[in-house]
Amino acid sequence: MFSSLTLNRQYLSQPVDNTPLVLFRVVFGFLVFMEGASFFLLGQISEIYTEAVVVFTYQGLGWMQPLPGIGMYLVFAFVCVLGIMIMLGWRYRFSAWAFALTWTYIYFSHKAHYNNHHYLFMLMAYAMALMPAADDLSLDAHYHPDKRSTSCPRWCISFFVLQLLIVYTFASIAKVYPDWLETRPMEIWMKGKSHYWLVGGVLQYKWVHYVLAYGGIVFDGAIIWLLLIKRTRWVGIALSIAFHLFNSFIFQIGIFPYLMLGTLFFFFDGADLRKKLLGRWKLGIALPPKTDLLNNPGYFLFLGYFLIQLLLPLRHHLFEGNVHWTDEGHKLSWHMMLRTKSGSAVYRVTNKKTGEVVKVRPSHYLGSLKGRMASSHPDIIWQFAHHLRKEYENKGWEEVAVFVDCVVSLNGHPSHPLINPEVDLVSVGWEPFRHSEWILQWPEELQEIE
């Protein structure tokens, strides 16, 4: 049961059948292609990049700007090509590293469209680039049969088990807060699904909201253990399929459910998978890895990576207040679909010399999606204020101050101010490790939500 979680170096370096890894490579490559294609099909390249008035990047990474003109269309076309190459296992080392680096650029070049599966995709991309995932069932193995192998180091399998355990466990823990237990977010989401054919009416029942809310906690907390125990593995697989297909249909969250279903390969014995799924596929030579990535530096990097993965979801405790309200420490923490925020904001751009004031509504300036972000997410609000300062300085204003009148509703609670309207946001910096005082705290009468 616990063998897949063992972190002993000698154990992790042992060769095992690589069928789960090569099958996941096929799924991963296909999903890379689909993710790249979705940006074209959904018109997101123009929405996020080419037609965007402002592209919100991560603090300190402003140099990672989108390419002009058709540049971003070429980037996503390149992603589609790389996905096919990864899926087929053709020039795999190049395609895997090229995708990891390209996706890192894409990920850090647009913060306003943050998505947990984009972050997980990036982590998995680098892991796959380091693994011998094209040693079998690939064009590389076909054209270079002398390099073909049916084995990989055990750490290649254990990595995904550990990563998934962290993702699911923190997702489960994060759901245990009063609003979720009272099904407030679930009720709001399901109201928007009332028009769904056949199930729309059922989704409005309160008991359904409780089943979904508490079922999410139990599923996230138990699924990896169900998959690790041989007796309960097929129960875990059935639950995984039902859970992720339901999420895909109801919430339409892109490739994430299918990425999670693809990882189910890692919970099967590789030799059994090869026999049952690949049949008479030529076995190849079960050679140990030619290079041991888990030498002393590699082993400690492996342990260090997972230590960071354990610490990042805890960092919101460094900040005062309710993370669902302030968003400080919210990203990279597997806070997946936990809350719903809506707000309205007016930015007061002030010429301190003349006293002239121009009011800017972000929805009119940025469009609906980014406008909502610039009305309810403090980091986006702060960045947009700095953008407005630069814009009005370019118009000839010498001393610019930007104040924000912003009220936000969290999980359907009454709206309250999120930003101190008396603070000039261009005069304050962003605090990465402590609470920014210009972000107002969740009202005392509702502090029990924390």
Side-chain angles (χ1 to χ4, degrees), residues 16 38 53-54 77 86 94 110 145 152 157 173 185 192 253 262 274 276 302 328 334 375 411 417:
V16 296
S38 71
V53 177
V54 185
I86 291 170
F94 163 78
H110 68 96
C152 67
I157 309 299
I173 293 171
I253 49 178
R274 181 175 297 276
K276 293 175 181 177
F302 184 87
E328 294 172 306
W334 311 120
S375 299
N411 296 331

Side-chain angles (χ1 to χ4, degrees), residues 119-136:
Y119 170 51
L120 183 61
F121 222 32
M122 182 173 67
L123 298 179
M124 287 186 170
Y126 281 103
M128 291 294 285
L130 289 167
M131 296 178 184
D135 281 5
D136 195 17

Side-chain angles (χ1 to χ4, degrees), residues 193-211:
K193 315 297 180 184
S194 60
H195 63 285
Y196 278 25
W197 177 77
L198 193 63
V199 299
V202 176
L203 294 176
Q204 307 312 307
Y205 290 112
K206 191 66 177 178
W207 67 266
V208 174
H209 303 161
Y210 276 103
V211 169

Side-chain angles (χ1 to χ4, degrees), residues 434-448:
R434 65 186 179 93
H435 173 64
S436 297
E437 296 299 331
W438 49 269
I439 304 174
L440 300 178
Q441 294 288 5
W442 184 249
E444 286 187 10
E445 62 269 23
L446 295 175
Q447 282 291 337
E448 64 268 18

